[in-house]
Amino acid sequence: MSAREHGNDPLPPEVVRSLRCSVCGDPVGAADRTVRCGRGHSFDVAKQGYVNLLHARIPAGTADTAPMVAARVDLLSSGAYRPLADALAKVASEHVENGLIIDAGAGTGYYLARVLDAVPAACGLALDVSAVALRRAARAHARAGAAVWNLWEPWPVASSSASLILNVFAPRNAPQFHRVLTADGLLVVATPNPGHLRELGDLVISVDGGKDARLEETLGERFSRVDRLDVTQRVTLSPAQVRQVVEMGPSAHHLHREGRRERLDAITGPVDVTTSFSVTLYRPVP
């Protein structure tokens, strides 16, 4: 994995060409650590290399916090979810030769970086509402740029500009997926299966059996499913990794309930768990 080294032009030119001003929708350019459109709307590029295109506050509890991001970095660095990253990289290498790959809800950029390694002629754009997470994503790969954005809003990205959109455990904005993908582009959605981390009980938020139906309902009008892969394995987690799994996701917000924090802290030995994901491939419907 090739990390990005930031200079005077921290965003890859290919990524800048795909961006649009989040105020007026015009194309933008980048110079002197500023992204600016022709009408003078400008957005500073942070020292960590990402650009914040938001111009409104987001609701509290929407973005990942620093502790959540730290837990995720540690857990992903351990390789516990590497089979999922490998599956996404394999799909990308089989279906994409070049162009722009957008990771919608990229977090720290872990999956995007693995995919870019598998597609050497592509560049990547990490979109996420968490500036804390994008500090990591902006440096995750030399061919990736990162922009803070609320995925539920119309994206500041040119229409028909992406050859591949990744969506890993993140909000699914079907109209924007469809608008931003090229006509022959690919949408790859990764979701947890109902048995994911079942051994941890209510320490993690369970996945109900209606997930697939909801996914099809969300995407069905604009996309046609072309394939689906299951990625399931048994993993032995240390007590520290169990805490990371719980604290890196939405379950972290519920640890104060019903003695969950105490039960989590009481885990002192390794725990065998099941990690189980679905990777579903979609093509846009004309």
Side-chain angles (χ1 to χ4, degrees):
M1 184 186 303
S2 178
R4 166 167 288 280
E5 296 295 335
H6 296 298
N8 292 327
D9 188 19
L11 297 172
E14 301 87 351
V15 171
V16 174
R17 286 195 291 270
S18 74
L19 292 176
R20 292 295 180 264
C21 176
S22 60
V23 177
C24 67
D26 282 0
V28 299
D32 300 324
R33 305 193 68 85
T34 300
V35 171
R36 187 187 310 271
C37 74
R39 300 190 191 189
H41 303 124
S42 64
F43 310 87
D44 292 337
V45 178
K47 64 180 181 180
Q48 295 90 350
Y50 67 89
V51 60
N52 191 338
L53 298 177
L54 284 174
H55 38 83
R57 290 185 176 275
I58 61 168
T62 300
D64 288 348
T65 64
M68 293 170 70
V69 169
R72 183 171 302 146
V73 168
D74 289 343
L75 190 281
L76 294 177
S77 297
S78 75
Y81 284 13
R82 181 62 184 262
L84 174 59
D86 289 344
L88 294 172
K90 185 173 187 294
V91 166
S93 68
E94 292 173 346
H95 293 275
V96 177
E97 295 182 357
N98 50 40
L100 177 67
I101 297 174
I102 296 178
D103 192 343
T108 62
Y110 172 77
Y111 299 105
L112 178 59
R114 182 73 182 89
V115 166
L116 288 174
D117 279 345
V119 190
C123 61
L125 171 61
L127 293 178
D128 201 283
V129 76
S130 171
V132 176
L134 289 189
R135 293 172 188 168
R136 302 272 186 169
R139 298 176 180 270
H141 201 281
R143 287 181 275 116
V148 181
W149 191 249
N150 182 351
L151 294 178
W152 292 119
E153 299 294 330
W155 296 2
V157 179
S159 297
S160 302
S161 60
S163 56
L164 172 66
I165 293 179
L166 295 174
N167 181 251
V168 184
F169 322 138
R172 292 179 285 275
N173 188 333
Q176 292 302 301
F177 290 165
H178 194 271
R179 180 185 67 81
V180 168
L181 269 177
T182 59
D184 60 348
L186 184 70
L187 169 64
V188 179
V189 179
T191 56
N193 285 327
H196 179 60
L197 300 176
R198 62 175 178 265
E199 295 84 358
L200 298 182
D202 66 355
L203 289 176
V204 295
I205 295 176
S206 62
V207 181
D208 67 68
K211 171 187 63 69
D212 288 342
R214 290 195 304 276
L215 185 60
E216 296 304 317
E217 182 179 356
T218 299
L219 301 175
E221 291 185 5
R222 295 177 173 86
F223 290 90
S224 175
R225 190 173 84 175
V226 295
D227 202 359
R228 173 177 167 171
L229 314 171
D230 282 321
V231 182
T232 299
Q233 66 168 352
R234 294 283 290 175
V235 179
T236 300
L237 300 180
S238 68
Q241 290 173 324
V242 172
R243 286 191 290 274
Q244 291 157 8
V245 164
V246 175
E247 293 173 351
M248 74 181 190
S251 301
H253 299 299
H254 307 286
L255 282 176
H256 63 285
R257 300 178 182 175
E258 300 172 351
R260 291 174 186 169
R261 169 60 70 181
E262 290 75 13
R263 282 185 280 127
L264 180 62
D265 291 341
I267 296 174
T268 58
V271 179
D272 292 331
V273 301
T274 303
T275 61
S276 185
F277 312 98
S278 291
V279 176
T280 311
L281 283 60
Y282 295 89
R283 294 289 186 184
V285 174

